[in-house]
Amino acid sequence: MLFGRDIGIDLGTATVLVCLRHKGVVTREPSVVAMDRNTGRLLTVGAAAQRMLGRTPGNIAAIHPMHDGVISDYDMTQRLLKELIRKVSSFSLLKPRIVVSVPSGITEVEERAVIEAGLQAGARKVYLVEEPVVAAIGAGLDIAKPEGHFVVDIGAGTTDAAVISLSGVVQTASIKVAGDTFNSAIIKYIRRHHNVLIGDATAEELKRTIGCVFPRPETSFLEVKGRCLMTGLPRLVTISSSDMIEAFDETSQRILDAIHAVLEETPPELVGDISENGIVLTGGGSLLYGFDKLVENSTGIRTRVADDAELCVAYGITKSLEWVNDMQDGTLNLFRRRQLMQQ
């Protein structure tokens, strides 16, 4: 490959996905970087670094450079991006252009940090796109028409609820409540009710296996091991899916409140469209059992989880690479290109 290719990056709190035009997702790695504290040398990134979390000696640090959907460690994010860009463009003579998805509530300072990290990592130009927009495109919605679509993207660090029309965001709410918050809720619940401390990996396993925000047809149980806070010794506790509903109650309500807030501010004509088109859930957090039923019960609007919900943002970014020549670098791009093509 002699010329720089265009690269799409879903820079998530938990996972980074790298996409190429016509190929889709080519790299998927945990958002973790391992470095030597003494020398500052980068040791490894992604899955290899994730395996070091909680298991490293004092001179090695395994770091999550992304927190709540935005950069918390600029230097480590830049190194992570550089390594991932190198993997997919190692034979290019020209630096690539990259398209990066960001939460709809990103501030100018956070926006600039993403742009600078991308440029320092080796990009020729950096374009930013809003996650709800690319999630809608990845879910197969035709957002170019003058009608309202409601997308709720529940990632690991942020939840973005947005009404989209004419390829742009009409009304949005972005909250730092998402998949990681559910994990924290599990840890707090088991600590409070059982006096047992569990780790993030155990919380994630509970969430994926028996986690739910709406009653299951049959109650499920899972036995997990943690450290007893009374004795300091290992202890087994049995957790039920009903416990999960109770543990998730506050977090779920905060997401429902954000959805209601967006609906209350949306123009009546678009609310009518949403009532007809329904609400679409994307992102890994939407796979939590019963989320669609919970939202539908709360809003009275038909709700569904998109196909391949966890990859909708990545699919949308891949599609957006077709319009990169019409984007403005360093600013949020709302894909007016599609609208212009249909005129």
Side-chain angles (χ1 to χ4, degrees):
M1 183 71 181
L2 297 178
F3 302 102
R5 56 176 61 182
D6 299 326
I7 300 171
I9 298 178
D10 177 10
L11 190 59
T13 302
T15 308
V16 178
L17 294 100
V18 180
C19 320
L20 296 177
R21 187 176 176 184
H22 304 311
K23 288 188 177 182
V25 178
V26 292
T27 299
R28 178 175 182 169
E29 294 282 358
S31 305
V32 185
V33 175
M35 63 169 289
D36 189 314
R37 292 181 191 271
N38 297 333
T39 64
R41 184 170 64 91
L42 180 70
L43 299 177
T44 186
V45 303
Q50 186 180 49
R51 288 193 290 270
M52 295 182 181
L53 285 172
R55 297 182 173 90
T56 59
N59 67 308
I60 297 176
I63 301 165
H64 278 288
M66 302 291 297
H67 185 67
D68 291 339
V70 295
I71 293 175
S72 60
D73 189 319
Y74 172 82
D75 184 51
M76 289 298 106
T77 300
Q78 178 258 318
R79 294 191 189 191
L80 174 62
L81 287 175
K82 185 174 183 177
E83 186 67 20
L84 294 176
I85 291 173
R86 184 191 63 79
K87 282 186 179 181
V88 297
S89 59
S90 55
F91 298 107
S92 296
L93 296 179
L94 187 64
K95 290 182 178 182
R97 296 180 296 184
I98 67 172
V99 178
V100 185
S101 66
V102 293
S104 58
I106 191 171
T107 66
E108 288 186 12
V109 173
E110 292 164 346
E111 183 179 325
R112 177 53 54 186
V114 176
I115 295 166
E116 290 298 328
L119 293 173
Q120 290 297 320
R124 183 165 93 252
K125 288 183 179 293
V126 178
Y127 308 95
L128 304 184
V129 292
E130 290 178 293
E131 286 176 357
V133 177
V134 285
I137 294 171
L141 302 181
D142 186 356
I143 63 173
K145 295 179 179 179
E147 63 178 35
H149 294 277
F150 198 167
V151 175
V152 182
D153 182 58
I154 309 171
T158 60
T159 293
D160 288 275
V163 174
I164 301 168
S165 179
L166 289 172
S167 301
V169 174
V170 177
Q171 193 65 40
T172 184
S174 181
I175 59 173
K176 299 182 188 302
V177 177
D180 288 348
T181 318
F182 284 105
N183 287 354
S184 298
I186 293 173
I187 294 172
K188 289 177 182 176
Y189 180 88
I190 293 177
R191 181 172 188 153
R192 185 169 64 248
H193 289 266
H194 297 279
N195 250 350
V196 169
L197 181 64
I198 63 170
D200 288 333
T202 303
E204 180 70 22
E205 181 187 4
L206 275 167
K207 183 177 70 176
R208 289 184 178 274
T209 53
I210 65 170
C212 56
V213 294
F214 198 83
R216 292 176 179 268
E218 293 184 5
T219 302
S220 303
F221 298 88
L222 187 68
E223 199 173 61
V224 296
K225 183 181 291 185
R227 185 177 77 239
C228 178
L229 295 173
M230 302 292 290
T231 65
L233 299 175
R235 180 180 159 196
L236 286 174
V237 292
T238 300
I239 308 299
S240 71
S241 54
S242 299
D243 293 331
M244 292 292 94
I245 295 176
E246 184 179 345
F248 293 157
D249 181 63
E250 181 182 346
T251 304
S252 302
Q253 190 57 53
R254 291 173 68 184
I255 293 176
L256 291 176
D257 289 345
I259 293 172
H260 280 280
V262 171
L263 285 171
E264 288 170 5
E265 297 296 325
T266 299
E269 293 80 4
L270 293 181
V271 172
D273 294 338
I274 294 166
S275 296
E276 184 175 334
N277 295 328
I279 298 173
V280 178
L281 306 182
T282 65
S286 69
L287 300 177
L288 197 56
Y289 179 87
F291 231 123
D292 52 344
K293 299 182 181 68
L294 182 71
V295 173
E296 187 167 320
N297 274 17
S298 178
T299 62
I301 300 173
R302 176 175 51 84
T303 303
R304 67 178 179 88
V305 178
D307 296 335
D308 289 335
E310 201 168 4
L311 296 177
C312 280
V313 170
Y315 292 155
I317 293 176
T318 302
K319 182 69 174 176
S320 77
L321 292 174
E322 298 177 11
W323 311 313
V324 71
N325 289 330
D326 300 288
M327 291 185 183
Q328 295 180 340
D329 55 307
T331 59
L332 291 178
N333 291 270
L334 300 179
F335 303 111
R336 297 291 180 186
R337 174 65 175 166
R338 179 184 280 199
Q339 179 186 357
L340 293 172
M341 290 171 62
Q342 295 191 352
Q343 289 180 348

